[in-house]
Amino acid sequence: MTDDLVHLANGVLWPGFLGTEAPEWLLDELRDGLAGVVYFSQNVGEGLPSLSDEILRANPDALIGIDEEGGNVTRLESAAGSTLPGAAQLGIVDDVEATRASGAELARRVAAIGGNVVLGPVADVNTDPRNPVIGVRSFGSDQKLVARHVQAAVEGLQSTAVAACVKHFPGHGDTHTDSHHALPEISLGIEEFERVHLEPFRAAVAAGVDAVMTAHIVVPAWGAEPATLNPRVLGLLRGWGFDGVIITDALDMAAIRETVGIGEGAARALAAGADLLCIGNPTNRGEATLPDQDRRDFLAARDGILAAVDDGSLSRERLAEAAGRVSRLGQTLSVRAETATPVEYDGSDIVRRAITGVTRDAEALAVVDARRRSTLAVDSASAYVAETLAADGHRVRVDVARTTIDEQDGALDAAVAADGLTVVLLDRPDTDDGQRALVERAALRDPDAVVVNVGLAARQPLPLALVEVGSASRIGAQAARDRLIGGSSRRADPSPDSAGAAD
């Protein structure tokens, strides 16, 4: 295998890596044309800007990406929780200028640590309330609302030295399966899929988005292959005139790894029309993660590409075309960096505008945290939400899927007996029977208790007063606390929803 072909293959690969320092193998590959890296939580530390500098010294055109959305999904603030509004909160406020400003602020933060690609915004229209992986990461369930906010977010993000990457094409919103664990199938007809789920992606392309991320979903109307490996699906983007970078969702997700494998998945994605292959987070295997898992996954992807070129299933021309698009994006971002301008921003005001429900004058909160467990994509059950909500007050975690009714009732009794207002913290009140049953039992013990919901807004009535937050974030939890402690939110936000809500 020639050195120039290895260099060309490196130009379409985007690996994650272990640790807060760049391993020597990674720096060597960057010097040999590796497209860049993707940062995950395990890479984030005080030395992140210096790490980015080291990566850019090894390859000045490297793309440094990060999965940073605000709201439920953050890598930069994974320890304490996001201080940016989430997409659902922005959709509730429905102020495109607020969304544009949030995009610009997110880009500013990413650029400050040396990053230049944001894996966002989410352009999925969340039409299935059972969706385990999108939910409040989406701007909403109406395609027109989602489209206008996707366009605004793209414009905000790309107003600075950062590329936006809308995801997950052609739309991950109408599924109740998580592609991190299985291969979802969406059995909508083409007409409905195009009318609802493609509209936000068209808006992003019209706004000049730099990159689009694929989804590992099967839409039978377009064929049996997942979108990431499906030339018919990826060809839709080129048919719209999009000439930016098509980026795969992580190839180490089960939808690819446990079906065709990382190597074959990499080669088939390129053959289908993808340009940049996100290999994924090497810690996703949990206890099965090996000390060199990052390099193993990288080599599996590259070996798959080289083998496909060798056997003719992937043409060298297609590989060169993909590498060329990736390289041009790096050059574009270098020019854009010279024109970036700072902006003023207040995310807390946006979040306060998004939150609805009751207010209280409590002196303390006793929180029963009954949210679902975190997923590989969303750290939704992180302790920082309940910690921020409870502050110095009573706090207990209850996993309704893994604990007995007696254990749950014991947690409720302890909260009711503690000082302060009893708060039940939820994220799936309509689709999780265990969470709803817990609320019903809480209402029998303390009719004055309050539910704080950080997931999709409840459509079915609950037997307790409710605060709808729309995001499992630190900034959202703080705003919810402000509504319930001392009436502070009534002084700060005199809107009808906050001042006049009925119990």
Side-chain angles (χ1 to χ4, degrees), residues 305-370:
I305 294 169
L306 298 177
V309 173
D310 186 55
D311 69 21
S313 58
L314 173 66
S315 71
R316 187 186 179 105
E317 291 74 20
R318 168 80 268 272
L319 178 59
E321 178 189 45
R325 280 203 183 95
V326 174
S327 177
R328 286 195 298 274
L329 178 57
Q331 296 165 11
T332 296
L333 294 177
S334 297
V335 174
R336 194 181 295 165
E338 300 172 0
T339 61
T341 55
V343 295
E344 294 184 2
Y345 181 77
D346 182 5
S348 59
D349 178 66
I350 296 170
V351 171
R352 285 194 297 269
R353 291 163 60 192
I355 295 180
T356 61
V358 299
T359 58
R360 290 288 187 267
D361 293 308
E363 295 183 1
L365 304 182
V367 177
V368 180
D369 181 3

Side-chain angles (χ1 to χ4, degrees), residues 265-302:
R268 288 178 57 182
L270 285 167
D275 303 304
L276 182 58
L277 308 177
C278 177
I279 297 172
N281 184 350
T283 68
N284 279 348
R285 296 173 185 256
E287 294 181 358
T289 300
L290 298 171
D292 61 343
Q293 191 68 56
D294 47 4
R295 187 167 184 268
R296 285 173 180 260
D297 291 347
F298 163 73
L299 290 175
R302 190 173 70 184

Side-chain angles (χ1 to χ4, degrees), residues 61-149:
D61 292 327
L63 298 177
I64 301 176
I66 190 165
D67 207 0
E68 192 73 18
E69 299 172 13
N72 282 36
V73 176
T74 178
R75 307 296 181 240
L76 294 178
E77 300 182 286
S78 59
S82 178
T83 55
L84 288 173
Q89 291 172 327
L90 291 165
I92 291 165
V93 173
D94 198 12
D95 176 350
V96 292
E97 290 304 321
T99 298
R100 188 175 289 109
S102 296
E105 172 62 13
L106 196 162
R108 184 196 66 78
R109 296 183 185 191
V110 168
I113 56 90
N116 54 18
V117 181
V118 170
L119 297 180
V122 170
D124 305 310
V125 183
N126 198 83
T127 52
D128 190 334
R130 301 169 297 172
N131 199 318
V133 70
I134 304 300
V136 294
R137 297 170 64 197
S138 167
F139 291 107
S141 59
D142 176 81
Q143 67 269 24
K144 295 188 181 301
L145 178 144
V146 174
R148 62 178 172 265
H149 286 279

Side-chain angles (χ1 to χ4, degrees), residues 183-400:
L183 182 58
E185 182 175 303
I186 300 180
S187 56
L188 297 177
I190 289 179
E191 182 178 347
E192 182 178 359
F193 212 106
E194 290 184 344
R195 179 179 61 83
V196 176
H197 297 280
L198 294 187
E199 182 167 340
F201 292 98
R202 290 194 190 96
V205 170
V209 71
D210 288 316
V212 177
M213 177 170 278
T214 67
H216 303 326
I217 58 170
V218 172
V219 182
W222 280 317
E225 304 105 327
T228 298
L229 312 180
N230 190 324
R232 183 177 179 186
V233 174
L234 301 189
L236 293 172
L237 288 167
R238 302 305 183 201
W240 298 344
F242 176 67
D243 194 37
V245 176
I246 297 177
I247 303 176
T248 69
D249 207 343
L251 297 177
D252 69 341
M253 292 162 61
I256 299 297
R257 185 189 70 240
E258 296 182 6
T259 55
V260 299
I262 291 177
E264 184 177 341
R268 288 178 57 182
L270 285 167
D275 303 304
L276 182 58
L277 308 177
C278 177
I279 297 172
N281 184 350
T283 68
N284 279 348
R285 296 173 185 256
E287 294 181 358
T289 300
L290 298 171
D292 61 343
Q293 191 68 56
D294 47 4
R295 187 167 184 268
R296 285 173 180 260
D297 291 347
F298 163 73
L299 290 175
R302 190 173 70 184
D303 289 349
I305 294 169
L306 298 177
V309 173
D310 186 55
D311 69 21
S313 58
L314 173 66
S315 71
R316 187 186 179 105
E317 291 74 20
R318 168 80 268 272
L319 178 59
E321 178 189 45
R325 280 203 183 95
V326 174
S327 177
R328 286 195 298 274
L329 178 57
Q331 296 165 11
T332 296
L333 294 177
S334 297
V335 174
R336 194 181 295 165
E338 300 172 0
T339 61
T341 55
V343 295
E344 294 184 2
Y345 181 77
D346 182 5
S348 59
D349 178 66
I350 296 170
V351 171
R352 285 194 297 269
R353 291 163 60 192
I355 295 180
T356 61
V358 299
T359 58
R360 290 288 187 267
D361 293 308
E363 295 183 1
L365 304 182
V367 177
V368 180
D369 181 3
R371 293 170 297 152
R372 60 177 170 162
R373 297 186 298 278
S374 298
T375 69
L376 292 175
V378 185
D379 200 10
S380 56
S382 283
Y384 52 69
V385 176
E387 288 173 350
T388 301
L389 191 60
D392 295 331
H394 178 87
R395 175 173 58 89
V396 63
R397 172 84 173 117
V398 174
D399 186 339
V400 294

Side-chain angles (χ1 to χ4, degrees), residues 20-24 26-37 39 47-64 113-116 334:
T20 56
E21 298 180 359
E24 196 56 42
L26 181 66
L27 295 173
D28 287 343
E29 300 298 350
L30 285 163
R31 296 182 190 104
D32 195 18
L34 183 65
V37 301
Y39 287 152
L48 197 56
S50 297
L51 174 61
S52 298
D53 288 344
E54 185 177 24
I55 288 167
L56 291 170
R57 284 195 299 271
N59 180 358
D61 292 327
L63 298 177
I64 301 176
I113 56 90
N116 54 18
S334 297

